[in-house]
Amino acid sequence: MERVYIEDLRKHIGETVTVQGWLQTLRDQKKMQFLVVRDLTGMVQVVLEKAADPELAATISGLTQESNLTLTGLVIDNPIVKLGGLEMQLTTLKVEALAASPLPFDPSADTLPMLDFRMDWRFLDLRRPVNALLFQVQTTLEQAWREYWLQNRFVEIHSPKLMGSPSESGAELFEVAYFERKAYLAQSPQFYKQMGMAAGFDRVFEIGPVFRADPSFTSRHMTEFTGIDMEMSWIESHEDVMAFQERWLQYAWQAVKDRHGAAVQELFGREIVVPSVPFPRITMKQALEILKEEGYTLPADKKGDIDPGGERTLADWVKRNHDHEFFFLTDWPITVRPFYHMRYEDQPEITKSFDLIAGGLEIATGAQREHRYDVLARQAQGKGLGLESIQFYLDFFKYGCPPHGGFGLGLSRTLVVLLGLNNIREAVYLFRGPNRLEP
RNA sequence: GGGGGCGUGGUGUAGUGGUUGAACAUGCGGCCCUGUCAAGGCCGAGACCGCGGGUUCGAAUCCCGUCGCUCCCGCCA
């Protein structure tokens, strides 16, 4: 018999159907047995009058919580049942897998173990409906982004994650044994997505893993995460990139609201607010003035950078003055930006760059790139980089590469902001950090 | 890499020097009751209080070390 999803049971009142799922609760009474079965779409009460089938009743008595069941029975409307006002009268049951007991923890309990313990048993943690929803939201996000890219003539690329030489800085790269020599895990597809511009692809995007060997112990860092990267040609400035990004984000927020708005409200207690465009833009110069007015003192050694506390203060200011959850922080000084960011002709100390701050969290960084070979080489040297190690990259710009720019955005950080989570480890399938390589 | 906090039955917590034979909730096992529904009732098993050392007549409780977790800063997505 074909499987019916629990959320569709009401369409089958009076029919005998099969559902498959997990035993969440068993109430084994003297004459009756009640099973609460959960699948990805919901929960249903299944009943058996023990006298009607003593053998089946005995099987049910031996079931453990979270066992996998295939159940067939008659769906009946029953307003007395608190769970959806219907129930299934069991006729046959197949135990697909009996769960060991006791469980390390009960995924349906009110009080949850601490995050680190749940990560040890992530597959149990992911059985919680709230987590199933989180990954459905993630799927919708990625689909919407892809739709928007495809509507705008983007091409998807998959760049290598093994690299022969430390490229940008070298400090934050993982080293791996590669036959007789060393290789490095890519900490960004930056160079390779720019190659797509030199290749004449005009616009490319990539969704892929990114590795950072930073020993960071915070609620927003991981050593491996999924990067959302794009690059577009023939732009006039980083403003074109921001204008694209805000509409691209707006489109995805709308898709999540349309498809999961009600569920997110119910399980995360959060309303999805589709942001208006354009997002507010604040230059670094303005930001420093705002922080001064707000009475926020930056640490002395910031060299024109803004710390997370400053970013949150600015986010509050934007919320108050523009009623917006997002803002672009633009025009960063060259001291805190990589060599490939383009600089203003009339302000050589300032880059045509931006960060996107959402809910006080930095979720993306972008810029117009320097596409002129000579200027790029000079800027690299100015940063103290040896040209030999990046010659393959510089070559991209030697034989005609159009003006271009792009951004990199963190997938899990975006989910943190979208769903109002307090730790990035809640937002990722399996967390990787300095002390976490398992499971 | 720097700083703060925490570490008690499976899980979440209480207890901060002596009526502690370490408590409570939940989970687990057994029994009872019941068309139940976050079910209810009774009984039971389960921790030598992360680990090592020290102070003290006496340490889960104080001190030192160590390991683990966590948050903040730095760095970034």
Side-chain angles (χ1 to χ4, degrees), chain A residues 17 32 76 83 86 99 102 131 170 196 220 250 255 257 297 307 318 349 351 367 375 428 438:
Chain A
V17 301
M32 308 281 293
I76 61 165
L83 197 58
L86 58 76
N131 275 329
R220 60 186 186 282
Q250 184 187 48
K257 186 182 179 69
T297 310
D307 64 331
V318 170
E349 297 301 307
T351 58
V375 179
V428 66
E438 312 269 333

Side-chain angles (χ1 to χ4, degrees), chain A residues 139-391:
Chain A
T139 302
T140 296
L141 260 188
E142 292 189 50
Q143 190 200 2
W145 284 335
R146 277 199 162 85
E147 277 172 12
Y148 197 81
W149 277 321
L150 296 184
Q151 288 163 17
N152 286 277
R153 294 177 172 271
F154 275 72
V155 171
E156 180 164 16
I157 59 168
H158 297 287
S159 64
K161 303 308 158 199
L162 286 166
M163 310 207 310
S165 60
S167 54
E168 286 188 49
S169 65
E172 52 189 22
L173 286 164
F174 283 112
E175 201 175 283
V176 296
Y178 193 76
F179 302 110
E180 301 305 313
R181 56 191 184 116
K182 286 173 187 165
Y184 304 88
L185 295 178
Q187 32 66 291
S188 152
Q190 183 60 38
F191 289 178
Y192 299 129
K193 63 179 176 171
Q194 285 187 259
M195 193 185 88
M197 305 300 96
F201 283 11
D202 261 32
R203 296 175 165 193
V204 301
F205 72 90
E206 172 165 357
I207 297 178
V210 174
F211 303 91
R212 303 278 167 92
D214 290 320
S216 296
F217 299 92
T218 75
S219 55
R220 60 186 186 282
H221 286 86
M222 302 188 275
T223 50
E224 176 180 352
F225 63 92
T226 301
I228 310 291
D229 274 87
M230 59 153 268
E231 207 69 18
M232 57 199 286
S233 287
W234 310 108
I235 61 169
E236 285 182 21
S237 77
H238 57 314
E239 171 56 33
D240 293 332
V241 181
M242 290 188 282
F244 183 90
Q245 188 181 19
E246 61 196 1
R247 285 171 177 75
W248 171 85
L249 273 170
Q250 184 187 48
Y251 183 85
W253 247 244
Q254 186 66 55
V256 171
K257 186 182 179 69
D258 291 347
R259 251 167 272 176
H260 310 291
V264 168
Q265 181 70 60
E266 187 188 337
L267 294 180
F268 287 94
R270 189 176 179 83
E271 188 189 352
I272 305 284
V273 179
V274 179
S276 59
V277 296
F279 296 175
R281 284 138 168 79
I282 300 175
T283 65
M284 281 296 286
K285 194 180 169 193
Q286 291 167 338
L288 295 173
E289 286 164 9
I290 292 166
L291 287 178
K292 198 174 174 183
E293 286 168 20
E294 295 287 303
Y296 186 86
T297 310
L298 283 166
D301 57 342
K302 293 302 289 183
K303 294 185 296 188
D305 204 349
I306 287 180
D307 64 331
E311 286 177 352
R312 288 190 289 271
T313 303
L314 285 170
D316 290 342
W317 184 89
V318 170
K319 181 72 184 158
R320 283 204 315 277
N321 291 275
H322 297 278
D323 190 28
H324 213 289
E325 297 295 332
F326 296 77
F327 69 96
F328 287 112
L329 195 49
T330 71
D331 299 5
W332 293 66
I334 60 172
T335 49
V336 295
R337 290 279 151 161
F339 73 94
Y340 53 81
H341 281 198
M342 184 176 273
R343 300 166 184 183
Y344 283 96
E345 298 294 335
D346 54 344
Q347 299 175 86
E349 297 301 307
I350 307 293
T351 58
K352 296 182 168 188
S353 63
F354 63 89
D355 274 9
L356 175 61
I357 315 294
L361 181 66
E362 189 177 324
I363 64 169
T365 297
Q368 177 169 10
R369 323 300 184 184
E370 181 52 66
H371 63 286
R372 296 162 297 186
Y373 181 92
D374 295 341
V375 179
L376 186 59
R378 204 181 315 131
Q379 289 183 180
Q381 283 174 314
K383 284 274 186 181
L385 285 163
L387 296 190
E388 324 76 50
S389 65
I390 56 166
Q391 191 58 52

